[in-house]
Amino acid sequence: MLHIAVIGSGPAGYYTAEALRRQFGDDVRIDVIDRLPTPFGLIRAGVAPDHQSIKAVSRRYEATALTDNVRFVGNIEIGVDVTINALRGLYHAVIIATGAPDDRKLGIPGEALAGVIGSAALVGWYNGHPAFARTDPPLQSDAVAIIGAGNVALDVARVLAKSPGEFQGSDIAAHALAALSAARIRTIHIIGRRGPHQIAMTPKELAEMAVLERALPYVAPADLPPEGEDAALEPGLRKSVGLLRQFARGNGRDAPVRIRFHFFLRPIRIEGDGHVERLVLERTRLDETGNAVGTGEEAVITCGMVVPCIGYRTHPIPGVPYDERLGRFVNDDGRIAPGLYCVGWARRGPTGTIGTNRPDGFHIVEEIFEDIRAGGAKEGRAGLDRLIAERGLKAVTFQDWKKIDAAEIARARAGAPREKFIKVEAMLSAIRE
Ligand code: NAP
């Protein structure tokens, strides 16, 4: 019998478990271990609460989780409760699928001021992630600056711009809905350090900006390159740029909230007396390799909150080699060391869609196939259970999660799919009830 541990129960973790089952059939036992009592990682805590259709993919992961040879072991943190070396001693292979939950830093003066809230923290806050539920974004300010020209910047802008009624049918956390309902934000700046042709925003997500109840997107026509140059773009990007052109033309409507796109501006410092008051930017131009370089010309945006949406880093695990510069584990196409592998964002960084993790999971199974066959007998899940019992830890099973799930569904406000528990203790209480 092969024993395999997958650390992390998000898309990369469950696609890998699915691939392992297909490869090894009844000859494998897979433990999917998560630090939270709840599975599905990014699907639960990263995907925007008003994008419920994307969250439906968790049903596929549940089908894998409920098979006889896959087990969910929640509420156990590898590197804290159990070391990576202990785990490697118990399983033929350990596959790290922990994603990239930490914010990348801007590295500019003023980043530590109150009111600078990275996208991981803000998204975690409105999604009810226990680690970020206490984030207290200053929503009483008139203006907010979002840094980055990717889809996370659009998620954050949309959530900040929506009226309470537009969250109908979403699972936004109650504390966030209450705070957003009382928010006074009038201008949401989205700031790209390069130009409209270099955005990482996809058409579907950009199109959503034009159909908001009380907000309208604005682009300065002067920021757009000559229209003829769009022809050389890849079709998806061309469509996105076409939407920016529509935003620049306007539609004759006005709205109380403005979403203002800026380009060719890079943040150089954040200023304020104890909290964010201004974001200072430098105008950029593209060099011959397409990178943004400063021109020395400064611009200032007055705002009470800065939200860097500039990408994520994998959280280090003691005992696993980590590349500080890239913010992920040192690996060669998924191999870290004999019997130790990584997949998904922990392997390649925070890029691609949820579905990108599927071939990733299948790829790693092929990679490790021979290594695993060469290994001797391992204790597997019985050994992990022994460690958990010895240390007085409380592991959460998939059936336990289904109790949390049912309790969250039962306490949902009208029209919402669930009301998440935001404290681990409350999740564990729901299991006991
Ligand atoms: P992203 O797509 O990599 O975009 C990051 C943005 O931040 C880029 O515009 C980048 O500019 C900018 N940036 C990086 N460092 C910067 C700095 N120091 N100063 C100023 N700007 C900086 O990352 P993301 O938005 O976090 O998204 C992560 C992944 O999740 C992406 O693959 C995304 O498509 C996906 N996602 C998808 C959805 C959806 O499909 N609905 C929703 C959310 C996220 P440069 O290009 O110049 O580096």
Side-chain angles (χ1 to χ4, degrees):
M1 180 63 69
L2 289 171
H3 294 284
I4 300 185
V6 176
I7 311 172
S9 66
Y14 272 116
Y15 283 129
T16 300
E18 185 185 328
L20 288 164
R21 278 193 62 239
R22 287 199 186 192
Q23 182 70 49
F24 299 110
D26 288 338
D27 298 335
V28 69
R29 293 287 174 273
I30 305 151
D31 279 354
V32 179
I33 306 168
D34 203 292
R35 67 185 167 131
L36 287 178
T38 52
F40 309 141
L42 186 86
I43 302 299
R44 180 173 160 100
V47 169
D50 57 344
H51 279 174
Q52 287 297 314
S53 58
I54 299 180
K55 291 184 190 252
V57 71
S58 63
R59 285 192 214 113
R60 179 182 182 133
Y61 309 148
E62 175 162 324
T64 299
L66 289 172
T67 55
D68 285 344
N69 41 2
V70 178
R71 184 175 81 146
F72 174 69
V73 186
N75 203 32
I76 302 294
E77 187 165 6
I78 302 305
V80 175
D81 297 321
V82 176
T83 65
I84 195 83
N85 279 341
L87 206 64
R88 290 177 72 188
L90 295 171
Y91 293 83
H92 293 97
V94 172
I95 303 169
I96 303 175
T98 47
D102 298 346
D103 276 312
R104 200 176 272 164
K105 295 285 177 211
L106 284 167
I108 60 172
E111 197 167 7
L113 281 172
V116 181
I117 301 176
S119 53
L122 195 75
V123 172
W125 171 73
Y126 60 61
N127 266 329
H129 189 294
F132 301 111
R134 286 209 192 143
T135 306
D136 186 16
L139 301 174
Q140 296 308 308
S141 49
D142 188 63
V144 171
I146 296 172
I147 298 169
N151 281 332
V152 172
L154 290 179
D155 275 352
V156 167
R158 190 181 68 254
V159 168
L160 292 178
K162 276 194 167 180
S163 58
E166 288 173 287
F167 288 106
Q168 179 71 12
S170 84
D171 66 349
I172 187 168
H175 61 242
L177 183 57
L180 287 166
S181 302
R184 289 166 189 253
I185 299 166
R186 289 290 167 264
T187 310
I188 299 169
H189 301 278
I190 302 180
I191 301 156
R193 63 179 170 183
R194 298 192 289 159
H197 277 188
Q198 287 76 36
I199 56 172
M201 297 163 164
T202 45
K204 182 178 159 289
E205 282 63 33
L206 259 179
E208 283 181 88
M209 307 313 264
V211 292
L212 297 170
E213 218 170 83
R214 62 174 186 185
L216 271 182
Y218 285 82
V219 172
D223 274 349
L224 291 162
E227 199 157 347
E229 293 178 15
D230 293 1
L233 300 175
E234 156 287 302
L237 182 56
R238 197 184 318 138
K239 212 167 169 187
S240 290
V241 174
L243 285 160
L244 293 178
R245 292 192 187 282
Q246 270 180 34
F247 300 168
R249 284 193 287 273
N251 62 2
R253 249 194 332 134
D254 202 6
V257 177
R258 290 179 160 233
I259 302 170
R260 174 85 173 81
F261 289 78
H262 305 260
F263 298 98
F264 298 110
L265 287 172
R266 69 177 183 118
I268 50 173
R269 64 183 178 274
I270 303 166
E271 295 179 345
D273 187 5
H275 60 93
V276 174
E277 292 176 44
R278 286 171 301 282
L279 171 64
V280 183
L281 302 144
E282 182 183 20
R283 197 152 290 287
T284 64
R285 61 172 180 78
L286 295 186
D287 68 9
E288 50 296 335
T289 59
N291 285 326
V293 289
T295 62
E297 186 193 334
E298 288 192 5
V300 175
I301 284 182
T302 306
C303 57
M305 177 160 83
V306 173
V307 188
C309 300
I310 59 167
Y312 299 106
R313 294 166 66 85
T314 291
H315 197 70
I317 298 177
V320 182
Y322 187 81
D323 186 327
E324 274 298 335
R325 194 179 61 83
L326 295 175
R328 55 179 146 91
F329 299 115
V330 178
N331 73 91
D332 180 10
D333 207 16
R335 286 168 186 271
I336 300 174
L340 184 62
Y341 312 87
C342 55
V343 289
W345 283 10
R347 172 174 83 85
R348 63 189 152 81
T351 57
T353 61
I354 290 158
T356 313
N357 292 299
R358 189 165 178 269
D360 222 55
F362 281 86
H363 168 75
I364 202 69
V365 170
E366 281 171 27
E367 284 277 308
I368 66 181
F369 188 68
E370 290 307 318
D371 299 12
I372 293 176
R373 288 280 178 209
K378 294 276 187 179
E379 220 180 331
R381 53 179 60 169
L384 181 63
D385 288 348
R386 183 170 40 72
L387 284 186
I388 289 171
E390 276 168 16
R391 292 168 194 188
L393 302 168
K394 165 73 186 137
V396 168
T397 66
F398 203 81
Q399 298 316 321
D400 290 338
W401 146 246
K402 291 304 286 178
K403 288 188 193 166
I404 299 172
D405 188 32
E408 287 187 343
I409 292 168
R411 67 194 215 114
R413 61 184 172 271
R418 69 179 60 249
E419 183 62 54
K420 287 178 195 159
F421 292 112
I422 56 169
K423 289 188 177 157
V424 167
E425 195 37 57
M427 297 172 187
L428 300 179
S429 300
I431 297 170
R432 289 192 290 267
E433 274 162 17

